[in-house]
């Protein structure tokens, strides 16, 4: 599901000529799949890689859910919705994301404990982790 959402976001950026961009995801597994592939999803992964190249190889950055509560709230809303509905655009944030929007505007900080020894190929960058290609 997250891989499909990533592809749709990349398509939207490409079709709308939104560059430069930085892509933030809260799934380390997704970053690993982009880096190393996954036999079950290689067609989608290859499509994402091709589109990323056409966008100038933007950075794909891991961030914790707490760092982007708006995206997390929208993802939860999307997981409860009919997938055939396609991409939705909101003129104002839906009710489920309003608290996160206000927390973001206010610059609210959240504390999260992290096991640094489990992050083998990531470096710290403003409390996010950035994929470093080998």
């Amino acid at each position: 599901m997250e891989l499909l959402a990533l592809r749709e976001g990349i398509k939207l950026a490409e079709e709308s000529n939104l560059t430069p961009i930085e892509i933030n995801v809260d799934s380390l597994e997704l970053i690993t799949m982009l880096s190393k592939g996954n036999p079950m999803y290689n067609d989608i992964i290859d499509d994402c890689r091709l589109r990323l190249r056409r966008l100038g190889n933007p950075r794909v950055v891991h961030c914790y859910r707490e760092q982007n509560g708006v995206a997390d709230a929208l993802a939860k809303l999307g997981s409860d919705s009919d997938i055939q509905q396609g991409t939705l655009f909101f003129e104002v944030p839906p009710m489920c994301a309003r608290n996160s929007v206000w927390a973001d505007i206010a610059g609210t900080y959240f504390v999260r404990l992290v096991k640094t020894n489990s992050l083998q190929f990531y470096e710290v960058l403003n409390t996010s982790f950035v994929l470093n290609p080998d």
Side-chain angles (χ1 to χ4, degrees):
M1 186 70 147
E2 289 186 38
L3 183 58
L4 294 174
L6 174 67
R7 182 171 66 178
E8 287 304 308
I10 295 169
K11 279 183 186 179
L12 178 63
E14 191 176 26
E15 291 166 3
S16 303
N17 198 28
L18 300 175
T19 58
I21 62 170
E22 176 181 280
I23 299 170
N24 292 268
V25 297
D26 65 5
S27 170
L28 287 173
E29 182 180 357
L30 184 58
I31 291 177
T32 301
M33 284 197 304
L34 282 174
S35 173
K36 298 182 178 189
N38 180 309
M40 187 178 287
Y41 303 108
N42 273 341
D43 289 343
I44 300 169
I45 293 167
D46 289 343
D47 187 37
C48 287
R49 288 174 179 159
L50 174 66
R51 292 175 183 280
L52 287 169
R53 278 193 297 276
R54 289 196 300 231
L55 286 170
N57 291 316
R59 295 182 337 147
V60 178
V61 180
H62 176 260
C63 69
Y64 294 104
R65 261 179 257 119
E66 294 86 353
Q67 288 179 279
N68 198 345
V70 176
D72 187 51
L74 292 174
K76 286 178 185 170
L77 176 65
S79 70
D80 293 337
S81 301
D82 180 9
I83 190 73
Q84 301 303 319
Q85 213 170 4
T87 304
L88 296 175
F89 294 92
F90 298 97
E91 290 188 30
V92 296
M95 289 301 293
C96 65
R98 293 231 171 128
N99 288 342
S100 296
V101 169
W102 285 113
D104 192 32
I105 290 169
T108 304
Y109 287 90
F110 298 94
V111 176
R112 180 178 177 133
L113 299 176
V114 179
K115 292 181 182 178
T116 56
N117 61 352
S118 66
L119 302 168
Q120 299 162 354
F121 54 89
Y122 301 92
E123 67 182 28
V124 176
L125 177 69
N126 296 331
T127 68
S128 296
F129 294 92
V130 180
L131 177 64
N132 283 332
D134 292 334

